[in-house]
Amino acid sequence: MNSEEQIFKLILHSGNGRSFAMEAIGLAKTNNFEGAYEKIRLSGEELVQAHHIQTQLIQNEIRGDKVEMSLLMVHAQDHLMNALSIKDLSEEFVDMYQKVEESINRTQVL
């Protein structure tokens, strides 16, 4: 696989990871926490794949097969870093929504 194909796959998996993380937040808003945590898990799987591609690109560069620093490469790295941040934040949001729901449920029981 050439470096351009790797870059496109990096964008693909990063975008999928971000989308799953955003879906997790949406599910948490509707109190579907099981679904939300599943989406976070799927997000993590996509981001692991993206990270492996990034690692391959770095290792190739270390071996002397430099990747041209193009706008496309910058775009791919931007996608990955944003997706990682969104996933981390989605975990916090889902946890927060769950705690709020549990608190509401406890209050209603009293």
Side-chain angles (χ1 to χ4, degrees), residues 28-40:
K29 282 182 177 180
T30 64
N31 299 325
N32 182 348
F33 301 109
E34 186 176 319
Y37 286 114
E38 174 63 11
K39 293 293 184 178
I40 288 172

Side-chain angles (χ1 to χ4, degrees), residues 18-90:
R18 182 188 181 284
S19 293
F20 282 132
M22 292 302 295
E23 288 175 27
I25 295 170
L27 289 168
K29 282 182 177 180
T30 64
N31 299 325
N32 182 348
F33 301 109
E34 186 176 319
Y37 286 114
E38 174 63 11
K39 293 293 184 178
I40 288 172
R41 184 189 69 75
L42 292 171
S43 174
E45 287 180 1
E46 289 289 333
L47 294 175
V48 163
Q49 289 184 56
H51 191 261
H52 284 309
I53 294 166
Q54 181 190 46
T55 300
Q56 287 174 348
L57 289 166
I58 291 168
Q59 288 173 344
N60 289 348
E61 186 165 324
I62 290 169
R63 286 192 290 269
D65 183 16
K66 294 200 179 252
V67 176
E68 179 186 340
M69 190 48 60
S70 64
L71 183 56
L72 188 60
M73 181 59 162
V74 171
H75 179 66
Q77 290 298 313
D78 184 48
H79 258 289
L80 178 57
M81 300 315 297
N82 281 314
L84 290 167
S85 295
I86 295 292
K87 181 187 175 280
D88 289 344
L89 288 172
S90 74

